[in-house]
Amino acid sequence: MSDHPSLPSWVTWWQRPFPDANTFLLNGGQPALVDSGFVGHAEETAAWARAHAGAIGLVVNTHWHSDHVGGNALLQAQGAIAAGTPKAEAIGRRDPGCCAAEYLDQPVAPYTVDMPLDDGQVLRLGDTDGEVVRTPGHTPGHLALWQPEERLLMVGDALSDCDVGWVNLAVDGLEAAAAALASLKRMADPAPRVILPSHGPIPADPAAAFAAALRRAQRLVDDPDGAVWYGARRIFAFALMIREGFPAPEVEPYLQARAWLTDAARLLDRDRAPETLATELVTTTRASGAVVLQAAGTCASQSFPGADADGRDRGWTRHGGMGTGEGRTRRDPLPGVGPVEQPAP
C-alpha cells in the first residue's frame, strides 16, 4: 500500500508483486476497485478491499487477462463487474478464448460483466467521476480511466514506468502493434499529471514515461518479429513465476504443448518447428538472465508469491482443462479453473 504524494486522498494504491496486477481502490460513497488480481489471491484482494472501504460496489477491469480479473468471481457476490464492451458478451457466453485463459494457460474463475463500458462513458468511482478511454492494443478490449480534475490516468497494461504491454499478433492480427501505439498517443495527448500503471511503481515523470513507451511501441510496429519474441518471453516468464518454476526436463515439453508457442513459431518462420522455438526460447532467456537454473529447476529470475495450497481445488474445472495447464506439475500454486466450464458435481 502507498501514500504516494501525487495521489489524491480518494485513491488507495496497492503495488503488488509482479506479475500480479496493482490494485487501485477509489474511496467514497460508492467504493470502486480497478482490477482484482489473480484468482489464487482473490480472498486476499477481497479482504484488503473490505479493510479499506467496506463493501465494494463496482470492480472495473482494464482488460481480461488473468492477473486483472482473478478476484471478479468472488467480488461479484457483492458488487458489479464493469469491462470493455467488445468482450463483455463473449464472457457472458463463456466463449472459448475468454480471458485468453486456455491460450496462455493462466487460470480465471468464471464471472460475468454486469456493465459493458463504451469509449467516453462516465463512471461514478467512489466520490469522483472517471471517463472510459478505449485503448486497444495489448488486448482488443483494453481500456484506461481518466479523471480530468486531477489529470489522473489509470493505464492498465498499456505502459509502465519502463515498458509497454506485449501484443498478440497471432490472435489479434498484425495491426495490434499499431493499435497499441495509437492508444499510447491518445493517452499522452492530455498530458496526465499522474499515471497509475498495472505493474511496477508510479512513474515519477509521466511525460518521460510516455516518451519511452512511445519509442518502445514504435519499435514493436517496425519489427514484428521482435514483437513476437517480446510476447513469447513475457508469457514464458509469467508461466514460470506463477508456477514457481518447472523441473528442468519439463520446461520444453510444456512449451511445445502451448498454442501461443506454435503461433509464435508460425509467425517467425513458417518452417520453424515449435520444438525448435521452445529450445531457442529457453536458451535465450537463460542467456539474458531472465530465467535461471536453481535447485528446484528452471525459474524466472524474479520471484512471485504463490497462492495458498487451500486454493488449488476451488473453482470450476473440466476434463482436459480450460486454463488448467495439462502437464503442469503438482507444485502449481494456482487453482486450475477456466472461464468456459460448467460447475463440477
Side-chain angles (χ1 to χ4, degrees), residues 235-330:
I235 300 168
F236 179 36
F238 205 100
L240 291 172
M241 287 181 185
I242 65 176
R243 290 164 184 80
E244 299 177 324
F246 287 96
E250 297 181 15
V251 175
E252 291 192 28
Y254 171 83
L255 289 172
Q256 293 164 18
R258 307 276 71 80
W260 61 263
L261 187 98
T262 300
D263 281 346
R266 172 178 54 82
L267 287 175
L268 290 168
D269 183 347
R270 290 187 180 275
D271 295 325
R272 187 184 310 224
E275 294 81 2
T276 301
L277 181 57
T279 300
E280 291 180 55
L281 185 58
V282 172
T283 301
T284 57
T285 52
R286 285 178 181 168
S288 71
V291 168
V292 295
L293 283 174
Q294 298 179 346
T298 300
C299 304
S301 58
Q302 286 182 282
S303 61
F304 178 64
D308 293 338
D310 291 344
R312 292 179 185 173
D313 296 324
R314 290 196 304 270
W316 293 354
T317 61
R318 72 167 180 170
H319 300 297
M322 169 64 81
T324 60
E326 186 176 39
R328 186 178 296 170
T329 71
R330 291 181 62 83

Side-chain angles (χ1 to χ4, degrees), residues 154-245:
M154 290 164 268
V155 298
D157 280 1
L159 76 151
S160 65
D161 197 26
C162 60
D163 213 340
V164 295
W166 63 278
V167 290
N168 193 335
L169 303 187
V171 172
D172 300 328
L174 294 176
E175 63 274 14
L181 178 60
S183 292
L184 284 169
K185 291 177 178 178
R186 183 183 183 192
M187 286 186 284
D189 187 59
R193 181 185 66 85
V194 182
I195 299 171
L196 294 183
S198 286
H199 296 288
I202 298 173
D205 185 339
F210 267 114
L214 287 165
R215 290 193 298 270
R216 174 70 163 158
Q218 184 65 61
R219 288 200 295 272
L220 297 182
V221 172
D222 296 338
D223 181 11
D225 283 2
V228 172
W229 270 108
Y230 175 52
R233 288 193 295 267
R234 292 298 292 266
I235 300 168
F236 179 36
F238 205 100
L240 291 172
M241 287 181 185
I242 65 176
R243 290 164 184 80
E244 299 177 324

Side-chain angles (χ1 to χ4, degrees), residues 98-158:
C98 277
C99 304
E102 184 172 28
Y103 186 81
L104 298 176
D105 193 28
Q106 297 173 9
V108 174
Y111 67 96
T112 56
V113 175
D114 304 292
M115 186 185 303
L117 300 176
D118 289 313
D119 189 56
Q121 186 171 340
V122 176
L123 288 175
R124 192 63 178 171
L125 303 171
D127 284 341
T128 191
D129 290 330
E131 180 183 344
V132 175
V133 183
R134 279 208 63 210
T135 52
H138 179 57
T139 69
H142 196 284
L143 59 83
L145 294 169
W146 170 243
Q147 208 287 328
E149 287 75 24
E150 291 285 347
R151 292 180 36 236
L152 182 148
L153 186 66
M154 290 164 268
V155 298
D157 280 1

